[in-house]
Amino acid sequence: MNTSMISKFPALFFSVLWISISDAAENNPPESTYSPAAEAAPALARAPVLIAGSVTRALFTRQVKDLEPVDTVSVLTNDITRITYFTEIHSMAGQTITHRWEYNGKILLEKKHEVGSSRWRAYTSKKLDPTMLGEWKASVVDAAGGTLSVNTFTYMRKSKTGAAPVSTAPN
């Protein structure tokens, strides 16, 4: 073998290695942001990007007036057939929340709300069947399906002697 070729071999070897490393660096993002699974997943199947926020108030009320609940209900008698689930959301602007109503483990209503600002109030009313007595549940669910808040109230038969046991204390 020619001595001039032997002396050029290391330079050739390192040049090819440098080109390979440079190509790899240009074609792949940094390891901290590169995910083959994310690259392979269709864009619509990716989970939504959620901003950390919170539900600061969630309660049942008989009515909302001027975007505020008029009372807080934990027990309701079946002579009243409408109830409202009121929520106040903080730091979730641009996201979607859902009010999910359940009775006996069955989802009866899901109402989506687009959160429009950093402090957002939303409410959903439900007409109740007077025969569907027992515990009712409403939840605030984020776009990824995570539960942010859960509230319950008891729907009971009105007694012959008393009025509806409803708290009138504002929140």
Side-chain angles (χ1 to χ4, degrees), residues 19-154:
I19 291 170
S20 297
I21 291 171
S22 296
D23 271 353
E26 287 176 14
N27 293 329
N28 290 321
E31 190 173 321
S32 62
T33 60
Y34 177 70
S35 168
E39 189 175 279
L44 295 175
R46 293 185 186 148
V49 175
L50 299 178
I51 302 165
S54 63
V55 176
T56 55
R57 283 193 294 167
L59 57 97
F60 293 102
T61 184
R62 288 182 296 157
Q63 183 181 3
V64 173
K65 191 173 188 175
D66 298 324
L67 291 175
E68 285 295 326
V70 298
D71 57 11
T72 300
V73 174
S74 60
V75 176
L76 190 68
T77 57
N78 67 345
D79 59 318
I80 300 172
T81 58
R82 179 161 300 278
I83 191 165
T84 300
Y85 187 51
F86 171 89
T87 58
E88 184 172 341
I89 313 297
H90 278 233
S91 304
M92 293 181 69
Q95 295 187 60
T96 301
I97 59 148
T98 300
H99 284 177
R100 178 180 292 157
W101 290 74
E102 296 177 59
Y103 174 72
N104 282 343
K106 182 179 176 187
I107 297 171
L108 297 183
L109 173 66
E110 287 190 323
K111 173 68 175 147
K112 293 187 183 298
H113 296 275
E114 301 295 325
V115 179
S117 67
S118 63
R119 177 180 177 238
W120 193 255
R121 291 170 284 184
Y123 57 93
T124 305
S125 293
K126 175 88 177 91
K127 183 170 175 25
L128 301 171
D129 179 336
T131 65
M132 296 176 79
L133 305 174
E135 186 175 270
W136 283 77
K137 177 166 74 169
S139 307
V140 180
V141 180
D142 66 20
T147 302
L148 303 175
S149 181
V150 177
N151 297 84
T152 60
F153 75 93
T154 302

Side-chain angles (χ1 to χ4, degrees), residues 156-171:
M156 58 188 284
R157 187 172 322 280
K158 181 178 180 180
S159 71
K160 294 177 185 181
T161 60
V166 175
S167 167
T168 56
N171 274 16

